[in-house]
Amino acid sequence: MPVSSLPSPVSCPLKGASNFRDIGGYATDSGSFRKGRVYRSDHLADLSQQDLDILKELGIARSLDFRGAHERKRSPYQYSFLTSHALIVEPTVLPDFLDMLAQGQGDVQAAHATMNKTYTEFVTTHARTFAQVFDQLLQADTPVVMHCTAGKDRTGFAVALLHRAAGVHPDDVMHDYLLTKQFFRRPDLPDNRGIRDEVLDILWGVQPEFLETAFKTIDATHGSLDRFFQDALQLSPARREALLERYVA
């Protein structure tokens, strides 16, 4: 396992999106994750013409969109140079919490419980969808951007899986995940109203506990991360080697 490298984040500020950044540059077991290949972001529906020019300059021609049906309908996008692939993980964070709020349970503890449940379900319920991330990455080598609505939970877990599959140090995986604190701009949505700021900070934020919950669930349900890669994500040794050849310098 490589020593944690913690490179400076490569972020290209966009006017119409936040949390957009290159996930490359981290040391791996066999080199470093290539820059300019995979990006992450929040949703792409509000990009300006300048933003679109930046994406084109970066060569980004594909997006992997983890948003649910309602999210996609509420904030659709279609750009001539960008092929969007829907890898649907229906959101549960805010709906689940709003149910708790209606039952008088909408406190900080409930918010933590909601987030941990969400990350558990990434593993127990949505593994087939996250397996498609690797299918897409192996089908073509054009630069790609992965996103959901905030680019922090569904996207964060997908990026963490990719980094771990490529041999990035776990400390660096967590470092990249927590950069959302620096780059994400929380939206002012109607559903937010009436929820205390300290609770919104949890629901719209990232904490080490959340990502750790996902990886603990992997160990509990599959025995090891390698078994999860092979059995749940269909990432055989041969496919993993092909991934390394494409994305590790």
Side-chain angles (χ1 to χ4, degrees):
M1 183 67 69
V3 176
S4 176
S5 55
L6 297 181
S8 299
V10 179
S11 176
C12 304
L14 302 177
K15 292 182 179 180
S18 71
N19 218 8
F20 179 83
R21 57 188 189 271
D22 190 334
I23 73 163
Y26 295 103
T28 71
D29 293 327
S30 57
S32 65
F33 200 100
R34 294 181 187 272
K35 293 182 180 180
R37 310 307 300 164
V38 182
Y39 298 82
R40 57 181 295 175
S41 181
D42 69 359
H43 77 83
L44 306 177
D46 298 327
L47 298 184
S48 68
Q49 184 57 55
Q50 182 179 346
D51 295 337
L52 297 177
D53 290 341
I54 290 174
L55 296 191
K56 286 188 281 189
E57 288 174 6
L58 293 172
I60 296 174
R62 299 178 292 154
S63 66
L64 306 184
D65 184 353
F66 298 108
R67 295 179 301 166
H70 177 70
E71 294 169 289
R72 292 167 61 83
K73 183 177 180 180
R74 181 178 61 195
S75 301
Y77 67 85
Q78 185 175 1
Y79 307 121
S80 60
F81 66 92
L82 191 69
T83 301
S84 179
H85 301 275
L87 308 185
I88 296 174
V89 179
E90 289 291 346
T92 60
V93 174
L94 204 51
D96 283 357
F97 185 78
L98 290 175
D99 287 343
M100 291 184 179
L101 192 64
Q103 300 169 20
Q105 301 174 353
D107 57 10
V108 168
Q109 183 178 357
H112 274 285
T114 297
M115 295 303 298
N116 284 322
K117 175 176 177 284
T118 296
Y119 278 76
T120 297
E121 290 178 348
F122 288 162
V123 177
T124 60
T125 305
H126 300 294
R128 287 187 179 182
T129 300
F130 288 106
Q132 294 178 55
V133 172
F134 296 94
D135 292 339
Q136 291 292 335
L137 293 175
L138 289 169
Q139 283 176 11
D141 61 0
T142 52
V144 60
V145 56
M146 297 193 284
H147 76 90
C148 46
T149 289
K152 69 183 189 72
D153 299 317
R154 291 164 288 188
T155 301
F157 181 57
V159 170
L161 288 176
L162 174 56
H163 274 155
R164 290 297 300 269
V168 174
H169 192 281
D171 288 349
D172 287 352
V173 174
M174 183 63 73
H175 169 76
D176 189 84
Y177 171 75
L178 294 176
L179 283 177
T180 284
K181 294 182 178 182
Q182 180 177 343
F183 293 120
F184 177 60
R185 299 189 299 267
R186 190 174 85 193
D188 182 18
L189 298 178
D191 287 342
N192 289 342
R193 296 166 191 169
I195 302 177
R196 300 197 310 273
D197 281 343
E198 59 266 31
V199 173
L200 287 173
D201 287 342
I202 296 169
L203 298 178
W204 283 108
V206 290
Q207 297 186 18
E209 172 190 349
F210 305 152
L211 188 59
E212 288 167 357
T213 292
F215 283 105
K216 288 178 181 177
T217 303
I218 287 172
D219 288 339
T221 56
H222 289 81
S224 70
L225 183 59
D226 283 340
R227 293 310 312 173
F228 180 71
F229 281 142
Q230 291 194 56
D231 297 342
L233 302 187
Q234 303 301 305
L235 194 61
S236 65
R239 279 165 57 83
R240 194 166 179 179
E241 183 62 31
L243 189 79
L244 295 178
E245 289 179 3
R246 179 165 290 178
Y247 293 100
V248 174

